[in-house]
Amino acid sequence: MGVKLQEIIVRKRIEFQDLAGKIIAIDAPNIIMSLFSFARKNSDGSYGGLILDRTQRPISHLYNLLYRVNFFYSKKIFPIFVFDGKVSELKRVITKDQLKDFLFTKKWYEGAIKRGSRGLAREIALSKEYMWQNILEESKQLLGALGVPYIESPGSAESQCAYLVKRGIAQFSNSQDFDSLLFGCPHLVQNLSKSLRRKVHGKWRYEKIIPLVTNLQKSLKQLDISIFQLVDISLLIGSDYFPGIKGIGPKKALKFIKLHKQIENVIIEEKDKYDFNTLSEKIITQVRRIFLLPNINEANNQFFWNLPHKSKIFNLLCEEHHLNKERVSNNIDKLSSSYEKCRDYFIHKKEEAKSVQLTLDRIMFK
């Protein structure tokens, strides 16, 4: 879901050449979900369902993740993928109980494959208990085989992305959501795709997009609010941690926060017009703590990018998912070439400009 701030946050167009030589922290669950949503289109234009392998498991996330990494390298961008860890009880995503369900359904799926029960295997593979967690686990396997670093946050991926940017380890956070801003991320970049288009939610059509960047401090200054007040706005309009107050959108929330300074005062002054019964003091405190005092991994500050490991990629994509070996091999060759050009560009930048010395000293190649 994410917080809907696009109506009040100013974003500016950025060209891909302006991102060359940059390290970008990727909100992995958010981006992988957008890659996974790719599906077949029938000749008559109707929805053809998810792309599955012969064992009835989705594979679009694997092909598209391979393409996305190659795209980053081709634009001279080094990505760090960041995954969620233990998330807040307020956020409705994978929990410990769901993880146990995944382990159970994984064994169930493997049993169905051994018995040749194709229909049951398909049903299990597409169940919510199995599918999303399996997609994340396979994405990590593929990233490791591609030589791309990833990190698991002890909390949310967005908070870890924000930390990496604040520390200067990365220059941007990449997510289609705006939650990174609530975590204090200085620079958020969106719409990084080769096709520069995205599928319209709930419809079989696409819309054109352009890469956009948000500067948090400039946005706060323009809105004349603090980061604390931005978090209060998220409570009014809704985020992953609270559904918001019915009838209050971004512009109205901004107006109320600027007028009443903080959400407690909004509740007092506007209680006759809106129902604030679900917005308890406990929830306000919890959400503020999540965004303003996030749980992050401060230990891992060095990241390594390597050439793709061909045999590991073949094992996952060709042996495990039965994808075309020649097609996969051609894509690995393209990726290796893009990686080497990207690496050489970074090394040249390091020798050429002292202004990027601090960042580039953190880059490790093998």
Side-chain angles (χ1 to χ4, degrees):
M1 174 185 167
V3 63
K4 308 299 183 184
L5 293 174
Q6 55 266 45
E7 290 184 26
I8 60 174
I9 291 291
V10 176
R11 296 180 287 174
K12 293 186 177 181
R13 179 169 184 163
I14 188 170
E15 303 298 333
F16 282 114
Q17 57 260 35
D18 296 324
L19 296 173
K22 301 294 191 293
I23 299 173
I24 298 182
I26 311 294
D27 176 4
N30 179 270
I31 298 303
I32 290 170
M33 175 57 78
S34 69
L35 299 177
F36 169 69
S37 64
F38 179 84
R40 289 195 310 269
K41 188 176 182 180
N42 295 326
S43 57
D44 61 359
S46 62
Y47 172 67
L50 298 172
I51 300 176
L52 307 176
D53 66 10
R54 68 178 66 172
T55 61
Q56 305 303 298
R57 288 176 295 176
I59 56 173
S60 61
H61 60 292
L62 297 174
Y63 260 135
N64 289 327
L65 187 57
L66 175 61
Y67 296 148
R68 181 59 60 92
V69 170
N70 186 45
F71 171 70
F72 283 141
Y73 284 158
S74 71
K75 297 300 180 182
K76 309 299 185 291
I77 295 169
F78 268 121
I80 301 171
F81 283 78
V82 183
F83 289 85
D84 288 324
K86 180 182 178 181
V87 296
S88 166
E89 61 183 15
L90 296 178
K91 191 172 183 179
R92 292 168 291 180
V93 292
I94 298 298
T95 64
K96 286 185 177 180
D97 289 340
Q98 287 174 314
L99 181 57
K100 290 178 181 178
D101 288 342
F102 164 69
L103 297 175
F104 171 78
T105 51
K106 184 178 181 181
K107 291 181 180 179
W108 191 18
Y109 166 81
E110 291 170 350
I113 289 295
K114 288 180 180 179
R115 295 192 301 272
S117 302
R118 187 181 178 90
L120 178 60
R122 178 188 177 94
E123 183 179 345
I124 297 170
L126 297 179
S127 68
K128 66 178 182 179
E129 292 84 3
Y130 180 88
M131 186 168 60
W132 179 235
Q133 186 70 11
N134 189 62
I135 285 170
L136 292 179
E137 291 303 316
E138 287 187 334
S139 296
K140 293 174 187 176
Q141 291 178 42
L142 181 57
L143 287 171
L146 295 177
V148 177
Y150 68 85
I151 180 175
E152 289 190 11
S153 169
S156 72
E158 298 101 316
S159 65
Q160 191 70 36
C161 288
Y163 168 78
L164 293 175
V165 179
K166 285 189 282 189
R167 283 293 307 272
I169 297 168
Q171 285 72 59
F172 296 92
S173 170
N174 173 222
S175 175
Q176 291 307 107
D177 292 340
F178 289 86
D179 296 61
S180 294
L181 299 178
L182 300 174
F183 287 109
C185 181
H187 303 285
L188 172 67
V189 64
Q190 297 172 304
N191 299 341
L192 296 184
S193 73
K194 182 178 181 180
S195 64
L196 291 180
R197 65 174 193 162
R198 67 180 171 207
K199 188 175 180 296
V200 178
H201 182 68
K203 298 181 180 179
W204 190 262
R205 66 181 179 86
Y206 291 82
E207 61 182 5
K208 292 182 179 180
I209 57 175
I210 57 173
L212 298 170
V213 65
T214 302
N215 182 302
L216 177 60
Q217 290 306 315
K218 287 183 178 180
S219 293
L220 293 177
K221 185 176 181 180
Q222 186 168 1
L223 295 174
D224 193 26
I225 59 173
S226 66
I227 184 65
F228 183 91
Q229 290 175 311
L230 187 65
V231 172
D232 277 5
I233 287 174
S234 78
L235 279 162
L236 291 173
I237 65 177
S239 69
D240 287 338
Y241 304 95
F242 182 72
I245 302 301
K246 186 177 180 180
I248 299 181
K251 293 181 180 179
K252 190 173 289 185
L254 175 62
K255 176 184 175 182
F256 286 159
I257 290 298
K258 292 181 73 171
L259 179 63
H260 303 303
K261 306 306 179 186
Q262 62 186 55
I263 199 165
E264 289 87 349
N265 297 336
V266 174
I267 294 173
I268 294 171
E269 299 297 331
E270 305 294 336
K271 62 183 178 181
D272 294 335
K273 299 178 183 177
Y274 301 95
D275 183 4
F276 294 102
N277 288 329
T278 56
L279 188 53
S280 66
E281 183 179 342
K282 180 181 178 182
I283 289 177
I284 293 172
T285 301
Q286 285 180 311
V287 172
R288 282 174 174 166
R289 183 179 292 118
I290 287 169
F291 286 124
L292 301 174
L293 298 171
N295 189 15
I296 46 107
N297 180 352
E298 299 184 42
N300 195 345
N301 291 325
Q302 289 188 331
F303 298 91
F304 298 82
W305 289 264
N306 306 309
L307 279 165
H309 197 293
K310 206 164 190 175
S311 63
K312 290 182 179 179
I313 298 172
F314 279 153
N315 184 60
L316 176 61
L317 299 186
C318 304
E319 300 299 325
E320 182 73 16
H321 283 283
H322 313 286
L323 302 187
N324 184 279
K325 196 167 185 177
E326 182 179 356
R327 183 181 177 186
V328 171
S329 180
N330 289 337
N331 278 286
I332 294 174
D333 292 341
K334 291 178 183 178
L335 180 67
S336 298
S337 176
S338 296
Y339 164 80
E340 290 176 338
K341 291 177 182 178
C342 185
R343 179 195 59 195
D344 293 344
Y345 181 85
F346 267 71
I347 293 173
H348 178 70
K349 287 277 288 184
K350 181 176 180 179
E351 295 172 348
E352 182 182 75
K354 293 182 179 180
S355 62
V356 294
Q357 188 72 35
L358 177 62
T359 297
L360 293 171
D361 279 344
R362 299 177 185 275
I363 299 176
M364 303 291 178
F365 301 108
K366 284 187 177 179

